[in-house]
Amino acid sequence: MTSSILAAVAISAQTFTLTILHTNDIHAHVEPTLIKGKTYGGYARIATLIRRYRASDPNPILLNAGDTFQGTLYYNVYRGLADAHLMNLSGYQAMALGNHEFDDGPTGLLPFVQSVQFPVLCANLDFTGEPMLQNWVRPSTVIHVGNQRIGLIGLITPDLFEISSPGENLKITDIDAAVEREISKLKKLNINKFVLLTHVGYGGEIELARKHPDVDVVVGGHSHSLLCDTGVIPIASPAGPYPTKVGKALVVQAWEWNKVLGRIKVDFDEAGNITGYHDAKPILADDSIPQDASVKSAVDAFKKPIDNLGSEVVGTSPKGLPRDSGPEMTMGNVIADAMLAYTARNQTVAAFMNRGGVRAPIEPGPITYGEIIATQPFGNTLVVMDAT
């Protein structure tokens, strides 16, 4: 055997390839979502992709970057427990907390974290004042795969208290200090590969990768960012490349609603340094992907009461109502007009609707109660006020 071949064999023996499969911002989209006449996503399709790449890829791990709660009737009825069961069936190995996990306060989150069979992570929240959650949410964890150990650190968006309802007993802590604390702790366990599992948003995740040179991969969420080459996904425009390289670190997200499964293979040397990556792109869960039979069976069981509640027709829209994002937001205007109509007896003259509360379009034809909930899923209260 020549020296060059021996060298290649030695390098190969020292290389460890980690496959990261990931989702984020599912928002209770248990079933496929209808977009322009085609359906995308759903737990059963994603489960098929997960099973496929678990069988073909080296050392796969499956992660979720938060906001599993809130967005369809499945949340209104099951409060996250349908998702917990389906994520257990799919074999998730860790999840970051998202801001919407706190929409019903700490007591609303507790049944979910008690039901899932994988660690739920958040390093930049202090849980000491909320003992019922303290025992169920960890700052970090270690995954064993292929005789290697991978350190995972969970992070949540620092503006949590402005956009959700975590209660008075939890405290947000400095996110950078949390990263350094957990990396230091994991290094003492001889961990040399670090993945941030974050619900911070694409821009914030790039900044975290820039600030913390020990971080290898950031698996993110919160901003619903589709990262890919232009044209890979025909129904949306990418926010950046997949992965987004920041120094040595790789930043990835998987859009929203289980429409795609994120997939990347990362090569490490013996010292834990990234030597390359490949097979990196989000996989579209369109109607060409068959549905996993066991997960589909569970979805069908959860679906029966949803159908009864969501199929009631409450209106019609001949042309549909887009969830556009230009200077004038059609759906936002319709919602604001509805607010004015509802409060006309109070002589209201203006109504305000934030873009972030408009969650889905309405397709042409009959409008069902389920579509209304998908568009406006949050339990908001209209308030009328006098202003000078």
Side-chain angles (χ1 to χ4, degrees):
M1 195 177 285
T2 66
S3 59
S4 60
I5 295 175
L6 285 170
V9 170
I11 291 171
S12 176
Q14 294 169 4
T15 299
F16 169 75
T17 300
L18 174 70
T19 302
I20 299 175
L21 307 174
H22 61 100
T23 59
N24 55 271
D25 296 282
I26 294 173
H27 284 292
H29 283 74
V30 169
E31 297 181 73
T33 300
L34 180 66
I35 303 173
K36 297 180 180 178
K38 294 186 177 182
T39 59
Y40 300 86
Y43 274 104
R45 283 185 186 157
I46 287 291
T48 295
L49 292 173
I50 291 166
R51 188 179 68 246
R52 177 183 301 172
Y53 295 119
R54 274 203 172 119
S56 66
D57 293 355
N59 306 312
I61 62 173
L62 177 61
L63 309 176
N64 178 275
D67 270 9
T68 296
F69 284 16
Q70 196 73 270
T72 73
L73 278 171
Y74 281 91
Y75 181 73
N76 296 65
V77 172
Y78 295 109
R79 299 296 171 183
L81 294 183
D83 294 87
H85 181 72
L86 295 168
M87 292 177 82
N88 288 340
L89 277 180
S90 301
Y92 278 85
Q93 291 164 273
M95 171 183 161
L97 280 180
N99 51 288
H100 284 291
E101 270 71 79
F102 288 102
D103 280 359
D104 287 313
T107 56
L109 173 59
L110 184 62
F112 176 85
V113 296
Q114 289 177 328
S115 298
V116 294
Q117 297 166 357
F118 48 83
V120 177
L121 307 177
C122 186
N124 61 321
L125 271 180
D126 181 353
F127 288 90
T128 54
E130 199 67 77
M132 66 176 181
L133 284 178
Q134 188 177 14
N135 296 328
W136 295 97
V137 181
R138 311 178 197 175
S140 62
T141 193
V142 176
I143 288 184
H144 297 254
V145 57
N147 296 320
Q148 298 282 324
R149 295 184 299 163
I150 314 299
L152 298 179
I153 301 167
L155 299 168
I156 199 167
T157 177
D159 63 353
L160 171 67
F161 283 78
E162 300 166 27
I163 60 176
S164 193
S165 306
E168 299 178 355
N169 298 327
L170 297 177
K171 305 295 180 187
I172 199 82
T173 64
D174 182 81
I175 195 167
D176 295 308
V179 173
E180 291 304 316
R181 180 188 69 240
E182 294 307 310
I183 286 178
S184 177
K185 184 193 304 181
L186 292 167
K187 280 183 174 180
K188 292 177 182 176
L189 300 175
N190 295 319
I191 305 295
N192 62 9
K193 303 173 191 67
F194 302 100
V195 175
L196 298 186
L197 185 56
T198 66
H199 195 81
V200 173
Y202 183 45
E205 287 149 3
I206 289 173
E207 190 64 21
L208 284 167
R210 184 176 291 119
K211 285 183 176 180
H212 302 283
D214 287 313
V215 171
D216 297 299
V217 183
V218 182
V219 177
H222 187 48
S223 54
H224 298 227
S225 298
L226 173 62
L227 306 182
C228 64
D229 295 329
T230 303
V232 170
I233 308 297
I235 53 174
S237 299
Y242 183 106
T244 299
K245 289 196 69 177
V246 184
K248 70 158 190 173
L250 308 173
V251 178
V252 295
Q253 268 200 44
W255 198 12
E256 63 180 9
W257 301 3
N258 270 339
K259 295 172 189 171
V260 300
L261 175 69
R263 176 191 181 219
I264 185 170
K265 298 177 186 175
V266 185
D267 297 327
F268 295 89
D269 64 19
E270 274 190 313
N273 301 307
I274 291 178
T275 59
Y277 64 88
H278 44 104
D279 293 327
K281 68 175 184 178
I283 310 301
L284 184 62
D286 62 12
D287 50 20
S288 70
I289 306 299
Q291 300 192 62
D292 178 88
S294 61
V295 175
K296 178 66 164 56
S297 176
V299 169
D300 288 344
F302 287 123
K303 186 173 183 284
K304 290 178 182 178
I306 301 294
D307 283 345
N308 294 334
L309 187 60
S311 60
E312 179 187 357
V313 175
V314 295
T316 186
S317 176
K319 296 182 179 179
L321 293 167
R323 183 187 174 226
D324 44 15
S325 56
E328 289 290 325
M329 190 180 207
T330 305
M331 183 71 81
N333 285 337
V334 169
I335 292 168
D337 287 344
M339 292 178 181
L340 282 175
Y342 187 78
T343 58
R345 62 185 181 275
N346 302 99
Q347 290 84 49
T348 51
V349 296
F352 298 88
M353 180 63 214
N354 65 303
R355 285 178 181 271
V358 183
R359 306 299 283 195
I362 298 249
E363 297 290 326
I367 302 172
T368 64
Y369 180 68
E371 287 182 288
I372 295 293
I373 290 295
T375 300
Q376 287 261 270
F378 311 119
N380 293 326
T381 301
L382 285 184
V383 176
V384 176
M385 62 179 290
D386 293 321
T388 60

